[in-house]
Amino acid sequence: MSLLLPLLLHVLLCLSAAPGPVSGADRSCADLRQFYTGKGFTLAGVPQTEISGEHLRMCPQGPTCCTSAMEESLAGLTARETEGLIREAGRSLQAAFNALYRSFDTYFTELHSNSERSLQEVLSPLGPLYSQNTRLFLDLYTDLRQYYRGSTINLDETLSEFWSRLLERSFKSSAPPEVSLSEDYLECVAKQQETLRPFGDIPRDMKVKVIRAFVTARSFVQGLIVSGEVVRKVSQVNLSPECTKALMKLVYCPHCHSLASVKPCSSYCSNVMKGCLANQADLAPEWQNLIDIMIQVVASFSMEPSLDVVLHSIPARIYEAVHYQQENMDDFTAKVYQTCGRPGEPGTGSPDLNEPKRNSGSLTVSQYKPSPTAGIRLEMQVSDLSSKLREMRQYWTQLPMALCSKMAAGGAAQDKCWNGITKARYLPEVMGDGLANQINNPEVELDITKPDMTIRQQIMQLKITSNRLKNAMDGNDVDFQDASDDISGSGSGMCVGGHCPHARPGLYPPDNNRVRSAAATPPTRLCGSFLLLPLLVLLLQR
């Protein structure tokens, strides 16, 4: 009898801990059932009252209203919802880039169109040289427009060709009507553009400024396009299975344990989101670098000579160049004769070097500067673009916090929030940003040696774009076409010194695998092992 009393007491203790509905105090699952159907699921298999939670694999084990199937369904739901929030945030950022693109594109194309419209007003004093060669000037603007739109036109060659053709037409226009100038002779004249410099320093000076203006303008809009495309691609990256489990525990496990009204602790949410978005956070350094360079490009638009001045003055610079050439026609013609010979067939004569010079006025570029309101508009454009870009600079590191702001508890409720196990304070520290900093993340299991390759490719795209923008700021022509061809498809991994940690040490709460192994042993199994010992003793005594 001495052994029977302890045995009976132990049996009673174990029976009280057995799974199944709690006798006399069954907790209704009505709220969970209503919530579950509200999410679009059926009530088939949903408990009416709480059941033992020994089957749970993502949520803490204990009395619950969720079956294994419900846990899986809700895990899939929270992954889809979170991916939807990430895509929604990405679409908002894309829309912001599109708005910046439209704003600048409208401004720049108006500058270009206004400059083109002023051609007739500015160049009409040139007489036949303009009226008979209108196509030459309009073609220059067409080429500039196509370059800005992304054509592979070589600006340097385009401008050199323009001045050569203009010299050819100008020389022909200045020759007496009786002089026959063959195409070959005019071609020879055109080739003297670089060596004899008939237009003075204006072509060279204008080329430098126009190339700088159009290269930076095009690189800027291409930078906006590339940035928006990076956001689109990265925002579509699916969450990992490990992240899905962590999100389930964060978002819907409280519902399974009748704590639906308890919001997750903010630090707990931060660790989950930083783990889930670790690869995205690795974009931050190159992203911020690109934004900084784009801001520098924007600032260059107002540097002297400003963008509006350069575009507005193109017709006036052409006029000045022709005027300079006509003023120095005698010297130029003499040098042409030395190089190309005297034009015309025998007996046709040659241009009269003593012909009176046509005075086309003393117009200077200063007379064709934009109005003060144009300068104000440029400054407003620069200020608006710069401020909007600065707002985007921290996007990838702020994204986890932005998502948590929608679901986590406020600062005053940090002692009464869901910490992944119960309603209490969350103790672990918040992890840093990026994949390498997640090695000790207590909420999301990550192999930091296996970065997401889609995101790695986009990091490379950001580097390429930054380098091209730097070149553009130096006045070097850049080609943004087929940028994806430059992207390396392989990553070096993140192993340090030959050591590639795959697992992470357990913090509070304990390592997930250890939690599962301990929690997977139900109370009845533990009690069974205790029962066997006294029963074995009784049998041996017999």
Side-chain angles (χ1 to χ4, degrees):
M1 289 296 292
S2 61
L3 286 173
L4 288 178
L5 183 58
L7 175 62
L8 291 173
L9 290 174
H10 203 84
V11 168
L12 290 173
L13 175 64
C14 289
L15 289 175
S16 66
V22 183
S23 59
D26 293 355
R27 296 185 64 176
S28 171
C29 291
D31 289 344
L32 188 279
R33 288 167 63 87
Q34 182 178 356
F35 163 79
Y36 196 65
T37 56
K39 290 294 182 179
F41 300 109
T42 65
L43 286 175
V46 179
Q48 295 282 352
T49 57
E50 284 186 343
I51 58 175
S52 170
E54 63 190 41
H55 55 278
L56 297 176
R57 292 296 174 265
M58 298 177 228
C59 298
Q61 297 187 340
T64 182
C65 287
C66 290
T67 63
S68 294
M70 293 171 65
E71 190 180 37
E72 291 292 336
S73 297
L74 288 172
L77 174 64
T78 188
R80 291 191 300 274
E81 289 177 337
T82 305
E83 287 171 347
L85 290 174
I86 293 170
R87 284 193 293 271
E88 180 185 347
R91 283 192 292 269
S92 296
L93 186 57
Q94 282 180 265
F97 276 114
N98 289 338
L100 291 182
Y101 173 86
R102 287 193 301 271
S103 175
F104 180 78
D105 183 64
T106 299
Y107 171 74
F108 188 79
T109 52
E110 283 182 6
L111 284 181
H112 186 277
S113 298
N114 290 338
S115 179
E116 186 176 16
R117 279 194 294 269
S118 70
L119 275 172
Q120 183 172 359
E121 176 189 355
V122 179
L123 299 183
S124 57
L126 297 179
L129 178 60
Y130 172 71
S131 61
Q132 295 175 11
N133 298 287
T134 306
R135 188 78 263 158
L136 173 66
F137 303 104
L138 294 178
D139 284 348
L140 172 62
Y141 276 84
T142 298
D143 288 342
L144 292 174
R145 183 183 294 106
Q146 289 178 348
Y147 172 83
Y148 169 71
R149 291 296 180 203
S151 171
T152 55
I153 289 172
N154 185 304
L155 275 187
D156 191 286
E157 292 178 0
T158 295
L159 289 166
S160 294
E161 179 70 14
F162 166 77
W163 289 110
S164 295
R165 297 282 77 84
L166 181 59
L167 175 59
E168 182 182 301
R169 310 293 171 81
S170 177
F171 189 84
K172 184 177 181 180
S173 176
S174 65
E178 66 272 13
V179 175
S180 174
L181 298 173
S182 67
E183 290 299 321
D184 289 343
Y185 191 86
L186 289 174
E187 191 70 26
C188 179
V189 173
K191 289 179 180 178
Q192 309 313 307
Q193 173 10 56
E194 288 295 330
T195 56
L196 300 183
R197 294 168 59 192
F199 301 114
D201 291 328
I202 294 173
R204 191 172 300 174
D205 179 65
M206 176 178 154
K207 180 187 289 187
V208 170
K209 293 173 180 175
V210 168
I211 288 178
R212 174 179 168 271
F214 276 83
V215 166
T216 53
R218 183 171 86 152
S219 68
F220 178 68
V221 296
Q222 291 286 357
L224 293 175
I225 293 170
V226 169
S227 299
E229 191 64 10
V230 167
V231 173
R232 183 186 69 81
K233 289 180 180 178
V234 173
S235 298
Q236 291 177 347
V237 172
N238 293 327
L239 299 174
S240 67
E242 292 76 18
C243 174
T244 297
K245 294 175 184 177
L247 286 170
M248 171 61 194
K249 189 177 176 184
L250 174 77
V251 179
Y252 287 135
C253 285
H255 291 267
C256 290
H257 291 291
S258 302
L259 294 172
S261 62
V262 182
K263 288 189 173 184
C265 302
S266 59
S267 294
Y268 172 37
C269 181
S270 294
N271 274 343
V272 172
M273 291 304 176
K274 282 175 180 280
C276 288
L277 299 173
N279 281 283
Q280 287 84 340
D282 280 342
L283 284 160
E286 287 302 328
W287 176 266
Q288 292 169 9
N289 184 46
L290 175 58
I291 294 295
D292 289 342
I293 295 171
M294 290 175 70
I295 291 172
Q296 292 175 34
V297 171
V298 170
S300 73
F301 295 151
S302 57
M303 292 171 56
E304 292 295 334
S306 61
L307 194 64
D308 54 347
V309 169
V310 172
L311 267 71
H312 196 82
S313 65
I314 291 174
R317 300 312 306 273
I318 294 172
Y319 182 96
E320 281 185 311
V322 174
H323 182 68
Y324 177 92
Q325 186 233 5
Q326 291 177 348
E327 289 290 314
N328 297 277
M329 182 62 79
D330 292 354
D331 291 339
F332 175 68
T333 303
K335 292 176 182 177
V336 167
Y337 287 171
Q338 291 175 7
T339 305
C340 301
R342 287 184 174 269
E345 298 174 354
T348 58
S350 60
D352 185 357
L353 300 184
N354 297 317
E355 179 187 7
K357 300 170 186 174
R358 283 174 285 179
N359 189 349
S360 53
S362 56
L363 176 70
T364 61
V365 68
S366 62
Q367 293 174 251
Y368 282 91
K369 283 188 176 179
S371 66
T373 56
I376 293 173
R377 187 179 176 195
L378 173 61
E379 289 305 315
M380 290 176 62
Q381 184 76 208
V382 168
S383 176
D384 184 60
L385 291 171
S386 300
S387 62
K388 296 287 176 52
L389 286 169
R390 287 190 184 94
E391 292 172 5
M392 302 171 178
R393 193 175 182 276
Q394 303 294 332
Y395 176 79
W396 297 109
T397 54
Q398 290 178 346
L399 184 57
M401 303 301 100
L403 295 175
C404 285
S405 69
K406 300 177 182 293
M407 60 181 71
Q414 295 310 301
D415 287 326
K416 301 177 181 179
C417 52
W418 172 252
N419 65 5
I421 296 178
T422 187
K423 180 181 177 181
R425 176 174 286 274
Y426 182 76
L427 299 179
E429 64 176 338
V430 177
M431 299 294 100
D433 298 312
L435 190 59
N437 285 318
Q438 306 311 309
I439 187 170
N440 292 322
N441 193 319
E443 309 306 335
V444 186
E445 294 182 9
L446 290 171
D447 184 348
I448 67 169
T449 67
K450 295 180 179 179
D452 184 275
M453 295 315 300
T454 297
I455 293 177
R456 293 281 285 196
Q457 289 173 351
Q458 296 312 304
I459 291 173
M460 184 60 66
Q461 180 69 292
L462 293 174
K463 288 182 179 179
I464 293 168
T465 306
S466 295
N467 288 333
R468 288 175 170 170
L469 281 165
K470 287 178 183 177
N471 286 330
M473 287 186 65
D474 294 334
N476 299 323
D477 201 351
V478 289
D479 180 17
F480 278 81
Q481 303 304 310
D482 300 323
S484 59
D485 294 344
D486 298 329
I487 300 175
S488 170
S490 61
S492 60
M494 300 190 69
C495 302
V496 179
H499 300 288
C500 301
H502 288 259
R504 51 178 177 71
L507 298 178
Y508 171 79
D511 182 272
N512 289 354
N513 292 328
R514 292 202 294 271
V515 169
R516 289 169 189 160
S517 61
T521 307
T524 50
R525 199 172 301 168
L526 290 171
C527 289
S529 63
F530 284 116
L531 282 169
L532 286 175
L533 181 61
L535 286 174
L536 181 61
V537 172
L538 284 174
L539 289 172
L540 290 173
Q541 286 181 338
R542 291 183 182 183

